[in-house]
Amino acid sequence: MKLRTLMTPGGRAPAAHNDNPFTALRQEIDRLFHDATTGLGLGDAMPHMDVVETDANITVTAELPGMEEKDVEVTLADNVLTIRGEKKVEREEKGETRHVVERTTGTFARTIEMPAGMDPAAVKATMDKGVLTVVMPKPATAAEPRKIEVTRVA
């Protein structure tokens, strides 16, 4: 069975056929550099995220389809929120011939700098149907600056 796709992984159109070996080498090098600079070849394994701020909280929502809470680690250290995970695909290969493999696997890490004063103990993370939600209460705002009168020492 011969299958053909219109788009290659990473959303690039397939290269035009060229008998020049240097052109083929150049195209392969370009593909390797593209893969290395777009999430180490993970493509869609890097989660898409939303960051929403309200008066009370900062909420980060990340799409992690096919992942479970045991595959994800969330940390907050030095005002940096880090979401790490590993996307795995378990397969049995008993005489199988794979024609197309587009599902991505591998590890990822996304980091976001948070405002100073975030309390790691107050952070709550939940996972539901492949969507990770991290809710962080905002730190109390500093008091409004006020002018302090300077007086002469008697």
Side-chain angles (χ1 to χ4, degrees), residues 5-85:
T5 182
L6 297 177
M7 296 298 285
T8 59
R12 299 178 313 275
H17 179 69
N18 191 330
D19 290 329
N20 183 335
F22 292 110
T23 301
L25 176 63
R26 172 63 188 257
Q27 289 171 342
E28 183 64 14
I29 291 171
D30 288 346
R31 184 191 65 79
L32 288 171
F33 276 107
H34 178 270
D35 289 349
T37 58
T38 56
L40 299 175
L42 294 175
D44 292 332
M46 294 298 285
H48 296 134
M49 298 183 355
D50 293 337
V51 180
V52 178
E53 182 176 358
T54 64
D55 290 339
N57 298 315
I58 296 175
T59 303
V60 177
T61 307
E63 294 179 349
L64 304 171
M67 296 183 72
E68 298 176 15
E69 52 276 357
K70 66 181 174 58
D71 302 323
V72 179
E73 175 184 298
V74 178
T75 58
L76 179 63
D78 298 325
N79 301 318
V80 175
L81 177 72
T82 302
I83 299 173
R84 280 187 171 62

